[in-house]
């Protein structure tokens, strides 16, 4: 506690050292008079002088008081004027504390050091605190209030009271009121005051607030009761934040699932092809990202922040190209035989994995985060990392673009025509084999895009795809085959459900529960959440 | 249960079913007497096959009664249960078990206990062998008994499927387009066969081929947009202006 | 009834296979135990164990073939039943270690002592008795298959959907068995076995005995499978494979037939796993890996699905190839395996057996092959 208080004081002092625009300043002469009063008499007189200095509100005061606290001020015996005294050999080099002007070098015997005791030190801290609390910059005032909040220094209460009265910025005022409450709680003020303070803290509803009142939970009387009530209130608020955080994590996991599954929703849902090598398309996308970053690192490091943007088309074309190759060479011979397709594409996945392992090695490859993907910020009690935020946004963009392509473009129209009635589409002059290849290429290309995103949050290794293939199938099957919106709902539901189960069941058990749930769900609704009905669906 | 159902072999009353908002069957009512043969005609999408699906338990109706033998509620049973009651179905597209021999196809359809254990330890009896031989004779596939069903011609598959239907010894047969893909001679023979069957069993025939329906010479029900449009002898029905409009377009 | 059933199933193919397996069960142990080590006739313990392992794989392949080849159910989770049988056997072997473990606890296996467990979990009770363990080898996979199948077949989950949820099932089990608190040794599984039925598990005699047991169990299940597929029930299964809804409309409750053959197949896989574990000396969660289950499917595809002999041939040939490749060219094994998947599905839909049948029919007038018609599994 003591340590904290020292730190807080130090922090306050540091704030004052920052070069700030002088908002309140008084004439040098007046200030000099006030400063000289510091050395005029005993400790009590000095304390009064400190208060007077603080009341002046001049920006220079904090620095001077700081020096006083450190024992760097001296009085010249001759005229009781106060200077900053630096030892120079056996003499003292004097500097005017107000103007900073050089006042010459004098023998040691001609000056007295200004002594401070603990009482004075406190007075100095309070004065400095008051000064920063009244600083012109709201950021400084906020920081000062937060520092008091942490230190819970009762001495700061009067300063806060004054500052609260004068404060105009709502956010800063709230912080000050909370800080005052925290200080009141730590002080020896009457219980009724403290109980009020507890209520003020309860309104904060943060984890820190909970920590502030926790030590008083055992107390009898109004304080204890107030703390109990406040704890309940804060916990309720925190539970809401926790839920919010879980939803956020869930949406983030959901968008990863969506990215991985959406390509599958096309190949499986729209074309009816079981592509077990889908995960490997994701893996190829991630390795494409790695390749692009390597090129940039070696040739144009200044472009590193753009590496992911450059990797997107590369990954799309790589995975899409490999997809078209697979479709043309293998899958097209197996249309109408989904189980055979499943086995053949599994074979392809083994080959691709081993090929990547042979070329790049079996170890994880380092894919860097560009600066805009790193770091995090908080909303209330929620932590938001930039990488997750971007991935959610990216998933949304990919999803909407895909819907757009299917709904609005000629290619999308032809794709839907082939899906609905192949012979009819063919009779109308649509080159169905061409459309098949393109559709499969599109699905694979999107898997490649997913790989770019996954390279940011997962290990880039030849096994990358393995981890996602079963989850992706679960998402598509759960959402309902042949329905992209179903895939979206499926991904988000599974993502959020997973994160809500995790705290209770642990990550692994949560996942197992979810798998079991989906297995049971498919029994209930074999065609998924948003299934098509009717005669045409029956196999 | 309605009293009207009493004495009928098949009774459909106000049956409706819709798929995603599309009403495939709309308040369809139909009564079939024991021993009656009925031809069902109607343009594409009239709900003929869906009606068959409802009777045989493949599709559950949203509302309405489907009674067999005047008392058994078919909507609560599964396909196998309905088949065991004595309702046999022949599909539009001939579906036989292609990797079984002709004889095995008949044997599988032969009326016998259908339980897992019963079939596991089943041993073909003398009387069953006789019955198989008879049926093969009837459908003229005796010389092809050891051939895989996959090797049969389209018409032969149709016949094999009819043979399988007979092997079940059903009391009610639902026959979907039996003449499809047959030569004229085969079609005529099929009509004779069906008439022969109808002497002892009740039959519902769905057919497009008007000549074939005329050959059968039975009461005709015309379906349109999931409901009965007209019912009666073929000549009377085909003179009905509503029927003409539906068939010739508006 | 049973005798008719078995004799009907004991056709020429079954006679040959049984004869070969029985001969192996006699010759290999003799070759391992009698001739001196330097004799050309000597079969090393390593080879005995290796061949024994192939035989257990063949039994697993037979189980997969029964459901896939004959009933059209493509299981991507048969490895789960194999592993469960293996774990049941492994638990028995663990309890046999007794005080010879590192921590010398008379009751608790080493990993439990390591985890600071004080008591044996209830599901480990009884596994110190061989008869109980071998009962569990049959019951646990059988029960899981029964429950899973009861739900799945009743709600008519077919085709690729069924394949995907079988894969999800084994994946869920994989994750579960990785957990230490499941009580099955977590990541490391069960290992360091000492003896089985009182015989040292390392001794050449025990190895030869395990080999013979594998061969005889395989022969037994081959005859059972053969009788099953030749019975009327077998014909119903093929009918379900080729035209499921037609089978229903003739009056067969398809779900009962599927459930029957599915459960039987799971039991066979469980027995295979139980024979596998004492020979390789370890069982760990990796046996639940979906990849392992799919590999078993490819054995069947290579040999020729829908023919019982094909399953055995495929399992032995592919695994022999795997042993050879991983020994000589480990880098290339996955390429070879992946290529095998592609080539077999594209060019050899009837596998090795089908290839021989075709070669034969080229010489002789056409005979009906044991064809697997172009079947899709019912979903599209």
């Amino acid at each position: 506690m003591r340590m904290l208080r020292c730190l807080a004081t130090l922090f306050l002092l540091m704030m004052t050292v920052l070069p700030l625009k002088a908002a309140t300043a008084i004439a040098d002469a007046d200030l000099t008079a006030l400063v000289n009063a510091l050395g005029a008499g005993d400790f009590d007189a000095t304390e009064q002088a400190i208060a007077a200095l603080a009341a002046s509100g001049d920006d220079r005061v904090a620095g001077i008081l700081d020096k006083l606290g450190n024992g760097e001020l001296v009085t010249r015996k001759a005229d009781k004027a106060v200077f900053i005294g630096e030892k120079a050999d056996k003499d003292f080099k004097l500097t005017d504390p107000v103007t900073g002007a050089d006042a010459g070098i004098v023998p040691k015997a001609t000056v007295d050091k200004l002594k401070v005791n603990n009482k004075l030190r406190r007075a100095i801290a309070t004065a400095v605190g008051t000064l920063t609390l009244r600083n012109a910059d709201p950021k400084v005032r906020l920081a000062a209030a937060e520092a008091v909040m942490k230190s819970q220094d009762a001495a700061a209460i009067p300063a806060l009271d004054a500052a609260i009265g004068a404060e105009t910025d709502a956010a800063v005022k709230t912080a000050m009121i909370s800080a005052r409450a925290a200080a009141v709680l730590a002080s020896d003020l009457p219980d009724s005051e403290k109980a009020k303070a507890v209520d003020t803290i309860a309104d904060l509803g943060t984890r820190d607030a909970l920590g502030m009142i926790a030590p008083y939970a055992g107390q009898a009387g109004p304080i204890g009761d107030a703390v109990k009530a406040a704890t309940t209130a804060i916990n309720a608020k925190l539970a809401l934040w926790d839920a919010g955080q879980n939803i956020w994590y869930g949406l983030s996991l959901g968008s990863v699932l969506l990215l991985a599954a959406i390509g599958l929703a096309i190949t499986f849902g729209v074309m009816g092809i079981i592509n077990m090598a889908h995960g490997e398309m994701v893996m190829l996308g991630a390795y494409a990202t790695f390749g692009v970053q390597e090129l940039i690192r070696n040739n144009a490091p200044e472009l590193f922040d753009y590496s992911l943007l450059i990797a997107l088309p590369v990954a799309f074309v790589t995975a899409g190209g490999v997809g078209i190759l697979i479709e043309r060479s293998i899958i097209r011979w197996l249309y109408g035989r989904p189980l055979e397709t499943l086995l053949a594409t599994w074979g392809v996945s083994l080959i691709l994995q081993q090929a990547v392992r042979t070329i790049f090695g079996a170890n994880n490859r380092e894919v860097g985060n560009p600066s805009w993907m790193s770091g995090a910020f908080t909303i209330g009690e929620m932590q938001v990392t930039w990488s997750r935020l971007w991935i959610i946004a990216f998933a949304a963009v990919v999803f909407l673009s895909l819907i757009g392509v299917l709904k609005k473009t000629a290619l999308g129209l032809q794709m839907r025509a082939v899906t609905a009635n192949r012979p009819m589409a063919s009779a109308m002059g649509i080159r169905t084999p061409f459309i098949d290849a393109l559709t499969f290429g599109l699905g694979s290309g999107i898997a490649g895009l997913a790989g770019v995103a996954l390279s940011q949050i997962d290990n880039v290794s030849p096994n990358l795809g393995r981890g996602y293939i079963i989850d992706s199938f679960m998402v598509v099957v759960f959402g309902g085959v042949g329905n992209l919106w179903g895939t979206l709902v499926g991904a988000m539901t599974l993502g959020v459900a997973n994160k809500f189960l995790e705290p209770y069941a642990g990550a692994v058990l949560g996942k197992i529960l979810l798998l079991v749930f989906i297995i049971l769900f498919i029994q209930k609704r074999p065609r998924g959440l948003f299934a098509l009905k009717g005669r045409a669906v029956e196999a | 249960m309605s009293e009207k159902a009493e004495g009928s072999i098949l009774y459909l009353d106000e049956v409706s079913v819709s798929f995603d908002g599309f009403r495939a069957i709309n308040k369809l009512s139909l009564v079939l007497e024991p021993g009656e043969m009925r031809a069902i005609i109607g343009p594409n999408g009239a709900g003929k096959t869906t009606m068959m699906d409802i009777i045989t338990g493949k599709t559950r109706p949203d509302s309405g009664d489907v009674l067999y033998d005047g008392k058994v509620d078919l909507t609560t049973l599964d396909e196998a249960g309905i088949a065991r009651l004595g309702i046999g179905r022949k599909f539009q597209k001939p579906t036989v078990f292609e990797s079984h021999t002709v004889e095995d196809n008949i044997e599988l359809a032969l009326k016998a206990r259908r339980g897992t254990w019963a079939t596991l330890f089943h041993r073909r009896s003398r009387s069953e062998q006789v019955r198989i031989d008879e049926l093969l004779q009837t459908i003229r596939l005796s010389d092809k008994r050891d051939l895989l069903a996959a090797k049969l011609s389209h018409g032969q598959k149709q016949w094999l499927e009819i043979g399988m239907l007979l092997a079940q010894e059903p009391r009610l047969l639902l026959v979907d387009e039996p003449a499809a893909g047959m030569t004229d001679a085969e079609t005529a023979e099929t009509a004779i066969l069906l008439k022969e069957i109808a002497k002892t069993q009740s039959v519902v025939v769905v057919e497009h081929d008007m000549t074939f329906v005329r050959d059968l010479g039975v009461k005709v029900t015309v379906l349109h947009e999931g409901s009965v449009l007209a019912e009666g002898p073929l000549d009377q029905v085909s003179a009905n202006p509503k029927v003409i409009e539906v068939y010739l377009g508006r | 009834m049973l005798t008719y059933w078995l004799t009907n199933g004991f056709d020429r193919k079954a006679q040959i296979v049984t004869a070969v397996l029985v001969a192996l069960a006699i010759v290999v142990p003799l070759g391992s135990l009698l001739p001196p080590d330097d004799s050309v006739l000597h079969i090393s313990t390593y080879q005995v164990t290796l061949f024994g392992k192939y035989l257990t794989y063949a039994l697993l392949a037979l189980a997969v073939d029964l459901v896939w080849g004959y009933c059209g159910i493509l299981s991507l989770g048969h490895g789960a039943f194999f592993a469960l049988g293996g774990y049941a056997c492994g638990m028995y072997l663990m309890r046999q270690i007794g005080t010879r473990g590192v921590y010398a606890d008379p009751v608790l296996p080493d990993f439990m002592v390591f985890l600071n467990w004080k008591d044996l979990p209830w599901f480990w009770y009884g596994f110190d008795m061989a008869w109980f363990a071998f009962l569990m080898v049959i019951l646990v996979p059988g029960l899981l298959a029964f429950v899973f199948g009861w739900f799945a077949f009743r709600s008519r989950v077919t085709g690729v959907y069924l394949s995907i949820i079988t894969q999800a099932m084994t994946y869920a089990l994989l994750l579960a068995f990785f957990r230490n608190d499941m009580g099955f040794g977590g990541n490391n599984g069960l290992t360091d076995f000492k003896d089985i039925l009182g015989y040292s598990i390392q001794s050449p005699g025990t190895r030869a005995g395990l080999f013979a047991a594998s061969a005889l169990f395989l022969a037994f299940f081959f005859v059972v499978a053969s009788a099953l597929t030749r019975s009327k029930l077998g014909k119903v299964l093929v009918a379900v494979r080729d035209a499921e809804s037609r089978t229903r409309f003739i009056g067969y409750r398809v779900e009962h037939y599927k459930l029957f053959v599915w459960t039987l197949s799971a039991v066979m896989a469980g027995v295979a796993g139980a024979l596998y574990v004492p020979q390789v000396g370890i069982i760990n969660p990796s046996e639940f890996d979906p990849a392992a289950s799919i590999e078993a499917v490819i054995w069947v595809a290579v040999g020729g699905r829908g023919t019982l002999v094909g399953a055995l041939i495929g399992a032995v040939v592919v695994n022999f190839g795997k042993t050879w490749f991983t020994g000589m060219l480990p880098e290339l094994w996955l390429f070879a395996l992946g290529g095998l998947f592609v080539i077999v599905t594209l060019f050899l839909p009837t596998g090795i057996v089908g290839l021989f049948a075709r070669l034969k029919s080229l010489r002789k007038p056409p005979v009906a092959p044991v064809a697997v018609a172009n079947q899709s599994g019912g979903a599209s």
Side-chain angles (χ1 to χ4, degrees), chain C residues 133-144:
Chain C
F134 291 121
L135 192 66
M136 287 299 131
V137 164
I138 290 167
L139 277 186
V140 173
L143 202 66
L144 174 67

Side-chain angles (χ1 to χ4, degrees), chain A residues 7 19 21 79 88 136-137 180 185 204 228 292 353 355 366 390 431 465 529:
Chain A
L7 280 174
K21 208 171 66 192
D79 54 1
D137 187 345
R180 181 186 180 278
L185 214 48
L204 290 177
K228 258 179 230 148
V292 167
Q353 274 180 35
E366 176 69 31
W390 279 113
R431 286 187 292 155
L529 213 50

Side-chain angles (χ1 to χ4, degrees), chain B residues 70-91:
Chain B
K71 53 185 182 292
V72 186
D73 184 2
L74 294 182
T75 58
T76 57
L77 297 173
D78 66 348
E79 297 100 314
I82 290 172
R84 289 179 194 187
L85 281 176
I87 298 181
R89 180 177 184 182
K90 191 206 150 302
F91 286 82

Side-chain angles (χ1 to χ4, degrees), chain A residues 204-240:
Chain A
L204 290 177
T206 63
R207 239 172 275 281
D208 286 343
L210 207 57
M212 274 192 275
I213 56 172
Y216 309 98
Q219 287 194 15
I223 301 178
D225 295 342
V227 167
K228 258 179 230 148
T231 310
T232 321
I234 295 175
N235 276 333
K237 260 190 199 160
L238 284 180
L240 270 181

Side-chain angles (χ1 to χ4, degrees), chain A residues 144-449:
Chain A
E146 277 166 3
V148 176
M149 174 92 101
K150 287 240 155 43
S151 71
Q152 304 182 2
D153 187 355
I157 294 173
L160 275 168
D161 281 337
I164 289 167
E167 186 55 59
T168 48
D169 187 310
V172 178
K173 193 165 187 167
T174 313
M176 285 178 174
I177 291 171
S178 312
R180 181 186 180 278
V184 167
L185 214 48
S187 72
D188 36 19
L189 285 168
D191 282 3
S192 59
E193 279 288 313
K194 288 188 176 177
K196 251 189 256 162
V198 170
D199 291 343
T200 314
I201 293 173
D203 286 342
L204 290 177
T206 63
R207 239 172 275 281
D208 286 343
L210 207 57
M212 274 192 275
I213 56 172
Y216 309 98
Q219 287 194 15
I223 301 178
D225 295 342
V227 167
K228 258 179 230 148
T231 310
T232 321
I234 295 175
N235 276 333
K237 260 190 199 160
L238 284 180
L240 270 181
W241 280 115
D242 272 351
Q245 181 84 63
N246 272 336
I247 290 175
W248 171 254
Y249 284 147
L251 289 181
S252 150
L253 177 66
S255 11
V256 171
L257 289 176
L258 179 65
L259 277 172
I262 194 170
L264 203 67
I266 292 186
T267 51
F268 181 35
V270 179
M271 301 178 78
I273 295 173
I274 304 293
N275 182 14
M276 294 298 274
H278 183 79
E280 278 56 46
M281 301 295 145
V282 176
M283 185 258 296
L284 286 181
Y287 272 92
T289 315
F290 166 72
V292 167
Q293 285 203 347
E294 280 301 283
L295 273 180
I296 287 179
R297 272 205 193 102
N298 294 333
N299 300 313
E302 69 278 5
L303 288 177
F304 189 77
D305 267 359
Y306 302 98
S307 60
L308 291 188
L309 292 179
I310 300 167
L312 284 178
V314 176
F316 185 84
V317 170
T318 310
V322 172
I324 288 176
L325 205 67
I326 296 171
E327 199 278 339
R328 284 291 82 190
S329 59
I330 297 169
I331 291 171
R332 69 162 158 159
W333 308 107
L334 298 170
Y335 279 118
R337 293 156 69 191
L339 298 184
E340 275 85 349
T341 316
L342 191 158
L343 292 178
T345 49
W346 178 264
V348 171
S349 84
L350 294 182
I351 294 172
L352 286 175
Q353 274 180 35
Q354 188 57 39
V356 167
R357 201 171 287 131
T358 308
I359 298 169
F360 293 97
N363 297 333
N364 292 345
R365 284 293 169 167
E366 176 69 31
V367 173
N369 298 59
S371 58
W372 46 274
M373 287 281 278
S374 329
F377 60 93
T378 53
I379 302 173
E381 296 292 292
M382 246 169 77
Q383 178 133 60
V384 178
T385 53
W386 280 106
S387 56
R388 297 274 170 182
L389 185 67
W390 279 113
I391 284 175
I392 291 181
F394 180 61
V397 169
V398 169
F399 179 79
L400 292 176
S401 323
L402 187 63
I403 295 265
V405 165
L406 286 180
K407 285 261 156 74
K408 303 275 179 198
T409 65
L411 174 68
L413 182 66
Q414 297 190 349
M415 270 181 201
R416 285 182 291 139
V418 173
T419 314
N421 191 334
R422 179 173 296 269
M424 182 59 90
S426 171
M428 292 180 70
I430 297 173
R431 286 187 292 155
T432 51
F434 179 68
I435 294 298
D436 286 336
L438 277 191
T439 313
F440 197 81
L442 180 66
S444 305
I446 290 172
L449 294 183

Side-chain angles (χ1 to χ4, degrees), chain B residues 47 70 87 96 116 132 149 184:
Chain B
I87 298 181
V96 292
T116 322
I132 291 171
D184 286 350

Side-chain angles (χ1 to χ4, degrees), chain C:
Chain C
M1 192 167 72
L2 198 63
T3 40
Y4 162 76
W5 186 72
L6 283 173
T7 45
N8 181 44
F10 203 59
D11 62 341
R12 235 187 87 225
K13 249 182 229 152
Q15 286 164 15
I16 296 171
V17 171
T18 315
V20 168
L21 286 172
V22 171
L24 279 176
I26 297 166
V27 170
V28 171
L30 288 183
S32 159
L33 299 174
L34 288 185
D37 282 5
D38 50 356
S39 161
V40 269
L41 294 174
H42 179 74
I43 303 170
S44 74
T45 307
Y46 167 77
Q47 284 163 331
V48 170
T49 306
L50 190 66
F51 296 146
K53 197 173 83 171
Y54 292 167
L55 291 182
T56 64
Y57 284 152
L59 184 51
L60 173 61
L62 194 66
V64 172
D65 193 22
L66 208 52
V67 287
W68 183 38
Y70 287 89
C71 201
I73 304 169
L74 176 54
S75 168
L76 301 184
H78 252 53
F81 305 126
F82 182 82
L84 284 175
Y87 266 97
C89 179
M91 284 160 81
Y92 161 74
L93 296 171
M94 278 317 255
R95 301 279 321 255
Q96 295 306 301
I97 296 172
T99 52
R100 284 167 293 175
V102 178
Y103 297 106
D105 191 296
V107 177
L108 295 187
D110 277 347
F111 73 89
M112 290 189 195
V113 180
F114 184 75
L115 290 173
N116 267 327
W117 290 14
K118 299 286 169 254
D119 302 303
L120 199 66
W122 59 268
F123 47 83
W124 275 77
Y125 291 164
F127 276 94
D128 48 336
M129 295 170 284
W131 67 268
F132 181 85
F134 291 121
L135 192 66
M136 287 299 131
V137 164
I138 290 167
L139 277 186
V140 173
L143 202 66
L144 174 67
F146 185 84
V147 172
F148 183 91
W150 193 76
F151 279 115
F153 301 137
R154 199 188 48 147
S155 31
R156 304 196 181 170
V157 180
T158 54
V160 289
Y161 291 88
L162 190 72
S163 303
I164 290 170
I165 62 167
T166 54
Q167 193 179 23
M169 174 193 77
T170 192
Y171 185 55
L173 284 167
L174 169 74
L175 294 176
F177 274 74
F178 263 126
R179 287 159 46 86
N180 273 330
D181 24 339
M182 276 289 284
F184 295 106
N187 202 1
N188 300 322
L190 311 175
T191 188
D192 289 335
F193 308 131
K194 304 293 184 213
D195 43 41
I196 181 167
L197 300 170
Y199 300 99
S200 163
I201 208 158
Q202 301 290 350
S203 79
T206 313
R207 292 300 171 109
L210 285 168
F211 175 89
S214 304
L216 293 177
F217 266 106
L218 181 57
F220 168 72
F221 279 114
F222 189 89
V223 172
V224 168
S226 173
L228 183 80
T229 52
R230 287 178 60 87
S231 73
K232 191 176 174 190
L233 181 132
K235 290 174 186 168
V236 175
L237 293 181
V238 173
V240 169
R241 181 191 75 189
D242 288 354
E244 178 167 336
S245 68
R246 189 78 187 88
T247 319
R248 284 184 204 280
F249 285 118
I250 306 185
Y252 292 101
R253 287 238 152 72
V254 167
E255 51 273 22
H256 294 185
Y257 285 84
K258 283 185 173 174
L259 189 56
F260 173 79
V261 71
W262 173 255
T263 309
L264 176 70
S265 167
V267 168
M268 284 164 64
V271 171
L275 289 165
Y276 168 84
V277 167
Q279 302 194 62
V280 298
I282 184 169
I283 174 80
N284 63 29
S286 70
E287 299 294 337
F288 285 106
D289 191 337
S293 294
I294 299 186
E295 219 176 298
V297 171
I298 206 63
W299 305 337
V300 178
V302 167
R305 73 183 129 119
T307 64
L308 298 174
V309 184
L312 308 198
I313 294 176
V316 172
V317 166
V318 175
N319 281 295
F320 185 79
K322 184 175 187 171
T323 309
W324 186 83
F325 262 106
T326 44
M328 308 295 285
L329 302 159
E331 284 277 297
L332 293 183
W333 165 239
L334 278 183
F335 285 124
L337 185 64
L340 205 56
F341 272 94
V342 175
I343 290 164
V344 168
T345 44
L346 282 185
F347 305 111
L348 270 181
T350 50
I352 296 174
V353 171
L355 191 69
F356 276 109
R358 231 187 304 167
L359 288 178
K360 237 201 255 173
S361 67
L362 282 182
R363 258 180 272 140
K364 282 195 284 179
V367 197
V370 218
V372 174
N374 182 5
Q375 46 111 356
S376 67
S380 68

